[in-house]
Amino acid sequence: MKNLSLNFDNNYYLHSNDQKNYLKKWSNFYINSNYKNLNLFLGYQFFEDRKNINDGFNWNVSYQFNLANLKLFIQSRKYTEPFHPNLLNEKNSDFQFFTDNKVSLHYNSDKLSLTTSIVTTKIENNLVSSPLNFLNFDLKYKIFPSLSFYSKITSQIDTSFFGIGGGEIYEIGFKPKFLLFNKKIKFECIVYVDIFNGFSSNYGYNVISNIPNEIELEENIKIDYWLLNFEADVNISSAKLYYKISNILNAINPDDNSSLVYRNYIYPRLGRMVEFGVEWHFDN
């Protein structure tokens, strides 16, 4: 073993409930080491009280195998996080437990880069004990030196209501780039489409409590949608100008309600978003 280390730390957070303050404490003891392509993390979490029915063992073990243009990555981990204070009550554990496993295969060449991975996660707390399974693809292809294509796909391959609510998320785009005025100006842009398909129509996400929930009101039911977006960067010496626009169709016709996006029932329907800025980096 190389780089062996032993660590111990104390943690706490304070939350209020029913006009009372509660101080939650826990401690971590862990060992971290690595050997060649193997990384090992083992630890134990000591809770302040025994309201937690799960043990406090945590781990993070990963291994990477390289062969020519291929890279295989395997990881298994178990970790613990405190509950959001809004979800705590006398029946809940103060913590929730996650166990996930990941296997990914990456291929890389001069023109093509392809990564595929499978991720399985199990969540355990007093509200839910739910398995989540995801299949991911990440493709990049250089069509010409000045033009490349990319695609990202995330698919939930289980029937759990947690995660992203089932369905798939696609991002597909083109990235042209040019050198102008004797290579003194570098111009890059991205034209891409975001597609959200196959989600549970009654899937909602509480961004305050950080948990999914079921939509009950019919007017809040969501449908599949897609967005056309554009980003551009211009680099001139040490300065960079950038322009971004999300949901181009709404920018072209802002009076068309069909181009509004309903991403979360908590917020109103969204139209376009435009960003413009300048970054200037100085020496010294």
Side-chain angles (χ1 to χ4, degrees):
M1 290 289 182
K2 296 181 179 180
N3 302 325
L4 179 66
S5 62
L6 301 176
N7 300 273
F8 182 83
D9 58 53
N10 293 305
N11 307 269
Y12 69 92
Y13 72 92
L14 181 68
H15 73 91
S16 299
N17 190 9
D18 297 329
Q19 298 180 347
K20 296 180 181 180
N21 292 327
Y22 297 88
L23 182 64
K24 301 300 178 183
K25 299 180 180 178
W26 70 97
S27 301
N28 296 314
F29 173 77
Y30 52 92
I31 302 173
N32 193 20
S33 182
N34 62 76
Y35 178 73
K36 295 184 178 180
N37 294 330
L38 176 66
N39 293 285
L40 178 65
F41 171 94
L42 296 175
Y44 190 84
Q45 189 169 52
F46 301 90
F47 302 110
E48 180 187 32
D49 54 51
R50 300 311 304 168
K51 189 167 64 172
N52 301 281
I53 60 175
N54 296 68
D55 64 67
F57 279 108
N58 294 323
W59 66 78
N60 188 342
V61 181
S62 63
Y63 177 76
Q64 181 172 297
F65 176 74
N66 302 316
L67 177 63
N69 294 336
L70 291 175
K71 181 186 298 183
L72 175 66
F73 179 78
I74 302 173
Q75 182 184 44
S76 176
R77 63 176 182 161
K78 178 178 179 289
Y79 58 99
T80 308
E81 291 183 354
F83 250 116
H84 192 285
N86 287 358
L87 301 177
L88 288 172
N89 57 50
E90 66 278 1
K91 296 181 180 180
N92 288 340
S93 166
D94 299 331
F95 297 86
Q96 50 187 339
F97 303 85
F98 299 83
T99 304
D100 60 40
N101 300 285
K102 176 181 180 180
V103 178
S104 68
L105 183 64
H106 175 71
Y107 172 81
N108 188 48
S109 66
D110 293 337
K111 285 194 171 185
L112 177 64
S113 174
L114 174 63
T115 303
T116 179
S117 63
I118 298 176
V119 181
T120 65
T121 301
K122 185 177 182 181
I123 306 173
E124 294 184 16
N125 54 46
N126 289 90
L127 299 178
V128 64
S129 179
S130 176
L132 304 174
N133 301 295
F134 291 94
L135 181 62
N136 305 302
F137 293 95
D138 190 344
L139 170 68
K140 298 177 184 177
Y141 181 72
K142 185 181 294 184
I143 304 174
F144 305 111
S146 60
L147 178 64
S148 60
F149 166 83
Y150 78 95
S151 175
K152 300 178 182 179
I153 303 174
T154 298
S155 176
Q156 185 172 346
I157 53 177
D158 62 72
T159 58
S160 168
F161 196 71
F162 277 65
I164 59 175
E168 301 87 29
I169 300 176
Y170 302 86
E171 182 178 333
I172 304 170
F174 291 89
K175 294 183 177 182
K177 59 181 180 179
F178 307 96
L179 294 175
L180 307 173
F181 299 101
N182 294 324
K183 300 182 179 181
K184 294 181 179 180
I185 297 179
K186 182 180 180 181
F187 174 81
E188 295 179 296
C189 70
I190 308 174
V191 181
Y192 62 99
V193 177
D194 288 324
I195 303 173
F196 299 80
N197 178 67
F199 288 85
S200 300
S201 60
N202 62 341
Y203 174 81
Y205 194 85
N206 189 319
V207 295
I208 299 175
S209 300
N210 197 32
I211 60 169
N213 56 5
E214 187 173 349
I215 297 176
E216 297 180 355
L217 297 178
E218 185 176 353
E219 59 266 28
N220 291 335
I221 295 297
K222 297 192 303 181
I223 59 175
D224 297 337
Y225 63 92
W226 63 277
L227 298 174
L228 180 62
N229 312 293
F230 175 79
E231 300 180 10
D233 292 342
V234 177
N235 289 270
I236 307 173
S237 185
S238 59
K240 182 175 79 169
L241 289 75
Y242 63 87
Y243 177 82
K244 302 177 182 179
I245 178 168
S246 299
N247 198 359
I248 294 177
L249 296 182
N250 183 257
I252 296 174
N253 187 7
D255 296 326
D256 183 8
N257 292 332
S258 64
S259 62
L260 297 177
V261 178
Y262 199 20
R263 304 195 72 166
N264 194 298
Y265 71 99
I266 295 180
Y267 302 117
R269 297 178 187 271
L270 303 177
R272 63 195 180 278
M273 182 178 71
V274 179
E275 298 179 54
F276 175 78
V278 178
E279 293 182 9
W280 206 317
H281 300 274
F282 297 91
D283 294 332
N284 302 324

